[in-house]
Amino acid sequence: MGRVENKVALITGAGMGLGKAAAFLLASEGAKVAVTDIDAAAGEATAEEIKARGGEAIFHYHDVADADDWPAVVAAVADRFGRLDVLVNIAGIAIAKNVEETSLKDWRRTMAVNADGVFLGCKHAIALMKGSGGGSIINLSSIDGIIGEADLAAYCASKGAVRTLTKAVAVHCAEKRYGIRCNSIHPGYIWTPQTENYLRDLGSLDAEKAKALSRHPIGRLGEPDDVAYMVLYLASDESKFVTGAEMVVDGGYLMV
């Protein structure tokens, strides 16, 4: 308990899946959590559950791809908590199409949420963090930000952008001596609603799940908490000498 005691964390996409798990874990370790999501009902539910468990949380509606949403979200965090210590950019989408099937509309929407959203988050978080002693920015990329998958053309491109943007942000903040670290997390297949929907879009859910399972030498798919614990480490002072790193949480996917 207390690994992020009294730190203020903003988590996007916290209404379900990885974002929800990260919000619960950080709150259980003492963080004050700002939950954001485009799904207001789901985001509100996450914040209310944190409060029911004795934690402190607020919810703010948030379309991460909308540049006009970010100033209001960051201002709400500053007004309520006075600072921001941790930003976790988790909100994202995946469209199961190869490069020939992907429309320009699909491409632009994926890049808007997955890449623009992270860029905007980093930009606005830095402005608040640098005035209050620094902080930690954690960007959710993917194993598909390192390798390619035929049926996830736009997703792979967007997550590759997150991977290298993270390094650019890390170097910038280090050179400016802001005290801000920035790292990316690269999960394998984590069993979330997004993963289930993606596999279902490919064909038979059971068959596609079995195929995905076979790619993970550890013998199982990941669980949201597997990623949440990496978020916790990067949010905590335990990782104070870690910046610009690619933290792979993939059950061995990339080693075979």
Side-chain angles (χ1 to χ4, degrees):
M1 296 293 290
R3 291 172 65 186
V4 285
E5 192 72 34
N6 292 321
K7 290 185 183 292
V8 176
L10 166 58
I11 306 173
T12 71
M16 65 173 65
L18 302 184
K20 184 176 182 178
F24 285 164
L25 186 58
L26 291 185
S28 75
E29 291 287 345
K32 302 171 184 177
V33 180
V35 171
T36 81
D37 206 287
I38 199 168
D39 184 335
E44 286 275 16
T46 297
E48 290 303 315
E49 179 63 24
I50 289 171
K51 289 186 281 188
R53 297 180 183 186
E56 188 171 353
I58 61 170
F59 168 74
H60 203 292
Y61 172 84
H62 191 191
D63 178 354
V64 296
D66 187 342
D68 293 333
D69 271 12
W70 275 99
V73 168
V74 172
V77 173
D79 289 346
R80 174 64 179 269
F81 301 115
R83 69 182 195 281
L84 177 64
D85 302 301
V86 180
L87 169 66
V88 191
N89 282 310
I90 291 184
I93 62 172
I95 297 175
K97 293 182 180 179
N98 63 41
V99 65
E100 293 185 275
E101 298 166 341
T102 301
S103 67
L104 185 58
K105 182 179 179 181
D106 292 334
W107 174 270
R108 287 178 172 165
R109 178 58 181 160
T110 302
M111 296 301 286
V113 175
N114 295 0
D116 294 1
V118 171
F119 158 72
L120 291 167
C122 292
K123 184 179 181 69
H124 287 281
I126 289 168
L128 184 54
M129 286 178 175
K130 70 182 183 181
S132 55
S136 175
I137 298 173
I138 303 162
N139 296 327
L140 261 290
S141 180
S142 169
I143 52 171
D144 292 329
I146 300 173
I147 62 170
E149 290 206 45
D151 292 317
L152 285 168
Y155 181 80
C156 289
S158 69
K159 292 302 186 178
V162 171
R163 176 190 178 210
T164 49
L165 173 64
T166 297
K167 297 180 186 302
V169 171
V171 172
H172 170 73
C173 291
E175 290 180 345
K176 292 291 186 179
R177 298 295 189 264
Y178 287 157
I180 299 171
R181 299 177 295 105
C182 187
N183 295 284
S184 57
I185 299 178
H186 300 260
Y189 281 66
I190 310 297
W191 194 245
T192 64
Q194 184 185 63
T195 300
E196 182 176 355
N197 290 337
Y198 161 63
L199 294 178
R200 199 184 303 276
D201 286 345
L202 292 178
S204 163
L205 177 59
D206 289 342
E208 293 299 331
K209 186 176 181 181
K211 190 185 302 182
L213 180 61
S214 71
R215 298 173 183 170
H216 295 74
I218 205 167
R220 66 175 178 86
L221 299 186
E223 300 170 355
D225 276 354
D226 294 323
V227 176
Y229 276 105
M230 183 60 76
V231 170
L232 175 61
Y233 167 68
L234 293 173
S236 76
D237 293 338
E238 297 160 17
S239 58
K240 64 184 183 296
F241 198 57
V242 180
T243 194
E246 302 170 12
M247 311 301 281
V248 176
V249 184
D250 71 344
Y253 190 106
L254 294 182
M255 72 179 180
V256 295

